[in-house]
Amino acid sequence: MANDKSRRHRRLEHPRERVMQEAWALLAERGLADLSLSELGRRLDTSAGHLSYYFGSKNGLLLELLRWSEDELIEQLAFVLESGDPAEERLHSLCKLNFPRAAGDPRWLLWIELWPRVMHEPALREAQLEYDAAWRAAIARIVGELTDDVETLTQRVFALIDGLSVALLTGDPTLTGEQAWQHVKALLPGNIP
């Protein structure tokens, strides 16, 4: 009992980063169904109540995980955009950055979990729109160097990347990351087979 009491009142050092890392590890190991404040508290040797103070709920935790993951990618995306490489190479780099790294990629598992929740959680919806807008703007910037029909091609590329990402996430044995890129590349002017 004394251990439980000390656990309930233990403050975390560097709470956000430590919690994000542990939540990410839990997500990768066991999926979102087992990502609870209680389990996370056990792993961090603190209470679910203490975590609730920081995040409010599981949705709050998911929102912070999304920000933690996507903010790092947005920084990498800016580097890709400013690289000076030809437009097609930058789009290829953008796709590699966006596509799941492997079946079960935690970043994409998080997105899959969040999409249905955004309909009922305004904070999640706002974050989803913000990150989608950043990726769309990056695609539009590159596509604008290739065609005058920026809006249409951006929508097609964005939708195709999302759809291909789901197939990669679920381990579709008929698709590799390079094949996914070839599908995106086929949409570009002059590349239609």
Side-chain angles (χ1 to χ4, degrees):
M1 189 72 157
N3 188 22
D4 285 343
K5 186 173 183 178
S6 65
R7 220 176 89 178
R8 272 195 298 263
H9 298 291
R10 180 176 292 168
R11 291 201 175 269
L12 297 172
E13 289 185 37
H14 310 289
R16 184 177 188 272
E17 189 64 24
R18 186 161 172 234
V19 170
M20 293 298 100
Q21 289 172 352
E22 195 60 44
W24 198 255
L26 181 59
L27 175 64
E29 289 169 25
R30 297 173 63 186
L32 282 165
D34 289 330
L35 177 59
S36 67
L37 295 178
S38 297
E39 178 60 24
L40 188 56
R42 277 190 285 281
R43 286 178 172 232
L44 292 166
D45 198 27
T46 192
S47 70
H50 190 75
L51 293 172
S52 291
Y53 174 79
Y54 286 106
F55 303 108
S57 65
K58 183 175 180 176
N59 282 344
L61 174 63
L62 293 177
L63 177 59
E64 286 305 308
L65 267 177
L66 178 67
R67 287 181 176 144
W68 185 73
S69 169
E70 290 297 314
D71 287 349
E72 179 183 327
L73 280 176
I74 295 299
E75 288 178 21
Q76 294 173 30
L77 181 58
F79 180 76
V80 166
L81 290 173
E82 302 302 325
S83 71
D85 291 337
E88 191 173 297
E89 286 180 35
R90 281 181 283 135
L91 187 58
H92 187 199
S93 295
L94 180 149
C95 286
K96 288 194 301 189
L97 188 59
N98 192 297
F99 287 149
R101 307 293 186 264
D105 182 326
R107 177 177 164 262
W108 272 95
L109 287 175
L110 184 59
W111 273 110
I112 295 294
E113 178 72 17
L114 289 177
W115 281 331
R117 292 173 185 242
V118 300
M119 305 311 290
H120 306 289
E121 292 287 334
L124 292 175
R125 176 73 173 156
E126 185 178 309
Q128 181 242 330
L129 291 173
E130 175 188 335
Y131 291 118
D132 278 0
W135 286 99
R136 281 181 202 266
I139 293 168
R141 181 173 163 185
I142 295 169
V143 163
E145 297 175 33
L146 302 170
T147 184
D148 292 331
D149 192 4
V150 175
E151 186 175 330
T152 300
L153 188 53
T154 297
Q155 284 181 326
R156 288 177 181 163
V157 168
F158 188 78
L160 186 57
I161 288 172
D162 272 357
L164 291 167
S165 292
V166 171
L168 290 168
L169 176 70
T170 58
D172 181 339
T174 67
L175 186 68
T176 66
E178 186 54 33
Q179 289 169 323
W181 158 244
Q182 292 301 321
H183 288 301
V184 173
K185 183 178 174 183
L187 291 177
L188 304 180
N191 287 315
I192 298 172

